[in-house]
Amino acid sequence: MIDPTSDRDAERFLRIAKMAERGRLTVYLGAAPGVGKTFRMLQDAARRLAEGVDVVVGVAETHGRSETAALLEPLEVLSRCVIDHAGHALDEFDIDAALARRPGLILVDELAHSNAPGSRHPKRWQDVAELIVAGVNVATTINIQHIESLNDVVAGFTHVRVRETVPDSIFDHAELILVDLPPEALIERLEAGKVYLPETAERALANFFTPLKLAALREMALRFAAHSVDRRLSDELEISGEKSDFVAGERLIVAVSAGRGGAPVVRHAKRLADLLHAPWTAVVIESASARAVRGSQREQLADNLALAASLGASLMTVAADDIGAALVDQARQLRASQIVIGKSRRTRWFEWRHGSVAQSVIRKARGAAVHVVPLDEADEKPDKRREVSTVSENSVAVLLVAITVGILHLVRPWIPPGAIDLVLLLPVIIAATRLRLRAGLWAAMAAALSYNFFFTEPYHTLFIHSPAQIVTFAVLAVVAIVIGGLAGKVRRQAETSAGVARLNASLARFAGLMGGLSGRDETARVACREIGGLLDLEAIIVSLEDNRTVVRGNDAYGRIDVVDEAAFRWAIENGVATGRDTGTLNASDWQFHPLKTSLGTMGALGLARPSQERVIRPDDAVMLASLVDQTALAHERIVLEGQARQVDALHERDRLRGALLGSIAHDLRTPLTAVIAATEAIPVDGDYAEEVRIARAESRRLQRFLNDLLEASRIEHGTIEPRWESVDMTDIVTSVVRDLRQDGPEARVSTRIDSDCPFVFSDPLLLRHVLINLVDNALKFSPAGSPVDLELDYSEGRALCRVLDRGPGLPEDMEGLFERFHRLEGGDRVGGSGLGLWIAKNFVEAVGGTITAGNREGGGAAFAVSLPVATGQETDHGLSHA
């Protein structure tokens, strides 16, 4: 016989050996930039270095903070590799050098960083994964908003979607160190200029770094860290094979019974879970006695399970004979800290005969608090039909023994006396395996008495004269009882295993069918057919499309009546089961279960049974929960596939539109150049002077529009290649004013240039195009005759160019202002192609700058372009990656 314990030990050994070959990952997690992740990582690295660990810095971003840079001085820093991309020389983490060096610990900052095109991996987390597989220990940093599973949640309340994300799987075996800082302290650091430059910090405080958003991010980071620590603890306990009687974090498990007292126990568990802010699970222990329950008690069990599900509990069914041991074992597997169980009023005689489940749980539970809910009324008495069934089974068992005795009388001359007691064990085994355990025990007693009465001297009496026959009788009675008990136990275990196997096979088959479908109608039809067959009922799928109720999946039911529709709408709006046999809108013929997914509620699964019995039988409650979840996931997959196809179509449409616009702009550019030259040659005097001026202005405006189309095509195709050189911004500003014909006596653009502003290292053509777009935009949407200010300043090591007008300004909601074809309707910023600001943003970012928008004091819009100044250390391909 194979020992399963040895198999588990071997599996644990293999897992330990595999983990020993991998490097360890330490992640410093923060709620937001500026909490001190890199600083803490470098502090710990210095301590490890003092302890004799070989520590090397692969990447560490100081962000210009002197105290962080000081921590780098005693550490060895690997040289970075230079990646040439589109004329830029970009410095990236050198993974080959790290693998060749193989330090005891390597620091790789900013786990979510995207590597430059041409690197071995597109993402830095992939570099880290390769190091770990190679057996190198890695320490890294990340903010909570970069975790893939939390990206949508963070974007929901910050209104900022982070594009660089890291999959959750990278944290499965990582040690998480939370670097925590209260929102007030982080805001103080931001205001003191310790996180961003002053102008950037001001924008951050007004948008991302608000106290409310920082508090929410902090809570998410704390929860993620706590969940990670708990998961790591569970993994380590599983690998070590230790028996864990302690828990970390509150979890609650409640035993649901078939009696009327199950509902108060479930409600008590819900209240306790709310007080502890803990997840909770409702467990049904399917023992032999529980499976024998019929009638009203079985319906009550279904009601109790439905109540638990409606209150937010996870449902679970466990097959076992010992209810107390199974409940405690399940609590250990779920690492539950609280066990809730009810206790009905029972007589001492009943508890002495049958035992007390509550007392059993209290004795066996270690490390978990047991809450015993006293019930005022005892559970219902067993059904009379069950008692009749038991009596008949006992009679059959005794009859089997009688038949065996009769056969033995007929064949007695041909069998030895010592074989008679063995033959009498046959009806005991048959009764225990084919009937119930109690029938087997009745057969055992009948067999022992029959042996004494018919086959021992003196015959036909219950007296035994020979000591040897007394021993034989006693042994036969004990063996018969033991064999009957064991046979009954094997039968129950076989029934349980068969039931579990059928359930798993049904769910696996259903999941396989759902995974191969591609249409919504086909998915609904297959789902309703399979669910109806598994649960022996009618099924439909109802959805709300354009505020119209659509019924799918069952041709026999093309529509639902008013009451059913009200129940359906309540189900999808409130996310709970409604309709027949529920606590809401019971008059409906259907019972509706919402199909909830991460995208929202996809609709509802409607279930009905033609007869008056319950729609969902108690045995089917857990299976139904799995079927509903899989049906919802299948519909979610179809929706996501449809959205992906739409996105592909939009991308193709955008590509064709860009190609068309670029082609049109190229074809119109030559004749437009001729038109501009002709208008410039016409003297501005005589009777048509005003018309000539209009022709010149409009032709130049059309030329700028065509240039925008051409530049948009360059941006979409990724062909922007800045030509780097030291640029005097004074020349750029003068050129822009001249090109816009704003250098004459009637000019509306006033300039203010800081004489101390140094050169910037950039592309003069791109900067000129940016400023032309911004100034032209300000002139177009400012009141006639009002001036536009063009200012150039030098501050905090950067050149800052501002374009200010005196119009009504920008609306409060400026989301999407710099998106392509975005036009803010309903205000002063209307008209145009919707490309100017998008082009300006892309050009500014291409030369390493930033562009922001806002409203100036006293009214009007303000656009600011921040550019890095020339330091003399730049290469011909761009800025050095300091």
Side-chain angles (χ1 to χ4, degrees):
M1 184 176 182
I2 299 175
D3 182 9
T5 305
S6 62
D7 293 341
R8 289 194 295 269
D9 291 342
E11 183 180 353
R12 285 197 298 268
F13 177 78
L14 291 175
R15 289 185 62 183
I16 293 172
K18 186 176 180 180
M19 291 184 63
E21 297 175 355
R22 296 169 55 91
R24 293 188 302 274
L25 175 63
T26 304
V27 179
Y28 292 84
L29 174 67
V35 297
K37 302 179 299 297
T38 305
F39 190 84
R40 171 69 183 278
M41 180 178 69
L42 293 174
Q43 279 185 325
D44 291 349
R47 177 179 54 80
R48 297 291 301 278
L49 182 66
E51 295 172 353
V53 179
D54 182 17
V55 180
V56 169
V57 178
V59 177
E61 303 293 349
T62 64
H63 301 288
R65 300 164 192 155
S66 57
E67 63 273 15
T68 305
L71 293 175
L72 280 173
E73 294 180 358
L75 300 174
E76 177 186 348
V77 181
L78 288 180
S79 299
R80 302 191 189 184
C81 63
V82 178
I83 304 294
D84 187 11
H85 172 64
H88 293 245
L90 305 177
D91 294 338
E92 293 291 353
F93 171 58
D94 193 343
I95 186 172
D96 291 320
L99 291 171
R101 177 66 173 75
R102 294 189 67 84
L105 175 65
I106 186 168
L107 311 184
V108 184
D109 204 5
E110 296 185 355
L111 183 63
H113 172 77
S114 295
N115 294 330
S119 302
R120 179 185 303 182
H121 300 296
K123 301 291 184 179
R124 184 168 290 172
W125 65 264
Q126 295 172 315
D127 295 336
V128 170
E130 183 175 347
L131 290 172
I132 293 171
V133 171
V136 180
N137 299 327
V138 181
T140 186
T141 63
I142 192 173
N143 287 324
I144 191 68
Q145 63 264 32
H146 292 287
I147 297 175
E148 179 64 40
S149 63
L150 302 176
N151 184 255
D152 290 339
V153 181
V154 174
F157 65 84
T158 63
H159 307 295
V160 176
R161 182 171 293 278
V162 177
R163 302 298 179 187
E164 295 178 324
T165 59
V166 175
D168 293 51
S169 58
I170 198 75
F171 306 102
D172 285 348
H173 302 289
E175 178 186 359
L176 221 62
I177 298 177
L178 180 65
V179 183
D180 186 36
L181 195 66
E184 297 78 10
L186 180 56
I187 291 174
E188 290 179 3
R189 283 174 52 82
L190 200 67
E191 292 174 341
K194 296 181 179 180
V195 180
Y196 295 130
L197 296 174
E199 61 271 13
T200 306
E202 184 177 351
R203 292 193 302 271
L205 285 170
N207 295 285
F208 190 82
F209 284 81
T210 64
L212 184 61
K213 292 178 181 178
L214 290 177
L217 290 169
R218 187 189 186 199
E219 180 182 358
M220 292 183 64
L222 290 169
R223 289 184 179 274
F224 186 84
H227 175 71
S228 176
V229 171
D230 186 62
R231 184 181 65 242
R232 182 178 174 87
L233 174 62
S234 299
D235 292 342
E236 290 180 354
L237 287 172
E238 182 180 354
I239 292 173
S240 65
E242 297 180 10
K243 297 290 185 180
S244 59
D245 293 327
F246 60 90
V247 294
E250 297 291 347
R251 294 184 184 85
L252 188 142
I253 186 172
V254 55
V256 180
S257 65
R260 289 180 298 180
V265 176
V266 169
R267 295 189 184 98
H268 181 89
K270 168 62 175 174
R271 293 192 298 270
L272 184 59
D274 289 343
L275 289 174
L276 298 174
H277 300 284
W280 61 300
T281 303
V283 178
V284 177
I285 306 298
E286 284 282 355
S287 62
S289 59
R291 286 191 294 271
V293 170
R294 295 291 185 270
S296 61
Q297 283 189 309
R298 204 64 180 171
E299 294 181 0
Q300 186 65 52
L301 176 60
D303 290 339
N304 296 340
L305 287 173
L307 175 62
S310 67
L311 294 177
S314 301
L315 302 183
M316 182 176 294
T317 300
V318 179
D321 291 328
D322 189 335
I323 298 177
L327 186 60
V328 172
D329 184 64
Q330 199 61 39
R332 286 178 180 150
Q333 291 185 22
L334 296 175
R335 303 193 60 76
S337 60
Q338 314 282 334
I339 302 175
V340 181
I341 189 170
K343 188 178 189 304
S344 302
R345 288 189 296 106
R346 300 291 190 184
T347 63
R348 292 186 181 274
W349 170 246
F350 182 91
E351 292 189 359
W352 183 81
R353 287 186 301 144
H354 301 282
S356 171
V357 175
Q359 292 296 332
S360 175
V361 171
I362 293 173
R363 284 194 302 268
K364 295 174 181 178
R366 291 185 299 175
V370 180
H371 299 261
V372 179
V373 182
L375 304 177
D376 294 336
E377 297 181 2
D379 291 339
E380 294 179 3
K381 295 181 179 180
D383 198 329
K384 292 293 183 182
R385 288 174 295 180
R386 179 187 169 193
E387 294 181 358
V388 173
S389 174
T390 301
V391 172
S392 62
E393 289 179 352
N394 295 342
S395 302
V396 171
V398 174
L399 180 60
L400 287 174
V401 175
I403 293 173
T404 305
V405 170
I407 294 174
L408 284 173
H409 268 291
L410 295 176
V411 299
R412 187 173 183 180
W414 295 282
I415 62 174
I420 294 176
D421 52 351
L422 298 178
V423 175
L424 285 173
L425 293 177
L426 291 176
V428 177
I429 296 174
I430 294 173
T433 53
R434 306 302 298 178
L435 304 175
R436 300 179 189 274
L437 174 60
R438 182 172 296 181
L441 297 178
W442 273 92
M445 290 187 293
L449 293 173
S450 297
Y451 177 77
N452 180 26
F453 191 81
F454 292 106
F455 301 105
T456 61
E457 296 179 353
Y459 298 113
H460 306 116
T461 67
L462 296 178
F463 294 101
I464 302 175
H465 291 170
S466 171
Q469 291 179 345
I470 294 175
V471 173
T472 302
F473 171 78
V475 170
L476 175 62
V478 171
V479 170
I481 292 173
V482 171
I483 289 179
L486 292 175
K489 184 176 181 180
V490 169
R491 173 178 175 267
R492 291 194 304 272
Q493 291 178 346
E495 290 177 349
T496 300
S497 300
V500 172
R502 285 193 299 269
L503 174 62
N504 292 337
S506 300
L507 293 177
R509 179 176 178 275
F510 185 79
L513 290 173
M514 290 293 99
L517 303 175
S518 58
R520 192 162 187 176
D521 291 335
E522 183 183 9
T523 300
R525 184 171 59 255
V526 173
C528 292
R529 184 190 67 207
E530 294 299 319
I531 293 175
L534 290 171
L535 304 181
D536 189 24
L537 41 68
E538 298 292 337
I540 58 174
I541 290 179
V542 190
S543 59
L544 199 61
E545 301 175 12
D546 298 329
N547 204 29
R548 182 172 57 90
T549 302
V550 179
V551 181
R552 292 187 174 92
N554 195 327
D555 296 336
Y557 302 94
R559 54 173 299 179
I560 54 178
D561 60 26
V562 177
V563 177
D564 297 332
E565 183 171 353
F568 155 69
R569 288 179 178 266
W570 182 276
I572 63 173
E573 291 172 2
N574 297 275
V576 297
T578 59
R580 181 175 167 184
D581 296 337
T582 68
T584 306
L585 298 174
N586 283 318
S588 173
D589 293 330
W590 295 86
Q591 184 180 108
F592 294 99
H593 296 263
L595 302 176
K596 294 183 288 187
T597 69
S598 59
L599 300 179
T601 302
M602 298 286 103
L605 173 66
L607 304 172
R609 196 178 296 277
S611 62
Q612 294 301 314
E613 61 179 311
R614 295 186 62 87
V615 176
I616 305 300
R617 300 187 180 100
D619 296 340
D620 298 332
V622 176
M623 176 186 283
L624 175 63
S626 299
L627 294 174
V628 169
D629 290 341
Q630 292 187 24
T631 304
L633 289 175
H635 280 76
E636 181 185 39
R637 176 180 56 79
I638 291 173
V639 172
L640 291 175
E641 289 176 352
Q643 292 178 350
R645 288 191 293 268
Q646 291 178 1
V647 170
D648 291 340
L650 289 175
H651 286 169
E652 179 64 17
R653 188 183 70 181
D654 287 347
R655 187 188 66 79
L656 293 175
R657 180 173 60 182
L660 178 62
L661 292 177
S663 176
I664 293 175
H666 276 290
D667 293 341
L668 293 179
R669 197 172 190 179
T670 300
L672 181 61
T673 302
V675 170
I676 292 175
T679 57
E680 295 290 340
I682 300 175
V684 187
D685 54 15
D687 296 336
Y688 299 100
E690 183 62 25
E691 286 77 1
V692 171
R693 280 194 290 269
I694 293 175
R696 288 182 179 182
E698 293 302 315
S699 60
R700 287 194 297 268
R701 188 176 69 86
L702 184 58
Q703 184 183 42
R704 287 194 294 272
F705 177 70
L706 292 179
N707 288 338
D708 283 348
L709 293 179
L710 291 172
E711 299 303 344
S713 178
R714 289 177 60 197
I715 293 172
E716 288 178 338
H717 291 85
T719 57
I720 300 178
E721 297 182 1
R723 298 180 179 179
W724 300 93
E725 61 181 87
S726 295
V727 179
D728 187 350
M729 287 299 296
T730 302
D731 294 339
I732 299 295
V733 170
T734 304
S735 174
V736 168
V737 172
R738 182 177 61 253
D739 289 345
L740 291 174
R741 300 298 191 270
Q742 295 293 324
D743 53 352
E746 299 180 357
R748 291 174 55 195
V749 177
S750 62
T751 60
R752 185 183 64 79
I753 300 175
D754 186 353
S755 58
D756 295 330
C757 184
F759 283 26
V760 298
F761 194 71
S762 186
D763 184 325
L765 293 179
L766 294 183
L767 291 182
R768 175 176 166 275
H769 198 119
V770 169
L771 292 183
I772 284 178
N773 277 356
L774 293 179
V775 174
D776 184 57
N777 186 68
L779 290 170
K780 187 188 308 179
F781 301 119
S782 295
S786 65
V788 172
D789 299 329
L790 179 55
E791 301 177 350
L792 180 62
D793 292 315
Y794 174 67
S795 175
E796 300 291 339
R798 296 178 72 86
L800 189 63
C801 188
R802 298 187 184 90
V803 178
L804 313 169
D805 64 39
R806 289 171 174 79
L810 299 169
E812 293 183 2
D813 183 11
M814 292 184 286
E815 185 177 359
L817 179 65
F818 292 99
E819 296 295 329
R820 183 178 52 176
F821 300 117
H822 183 80
R823 297 166 62 182
L824 298 177
E825 303 293 341
D828 69 318
R829 327 297 296 189
V830 296
S833 64
L835 291 172
L837 294 180
W838 176 67
I839 292 173
K841 178 178 181 294
N842 281 274
F843 280 6
V844 169
E845 292 177 349
V847 296
T850 60
I851 183 171
T852 58
N855 289 314
R856 60 185 298 185
E857 295 182 3
F863 290 87
V865 177
S866 177
L867 299 168
V869 300
T871 61
Q873 298 179 355
E874 296 82 4
T875 68
D876 292 337
H877 301 287
L879 298 173
S880 61
H881 212 67

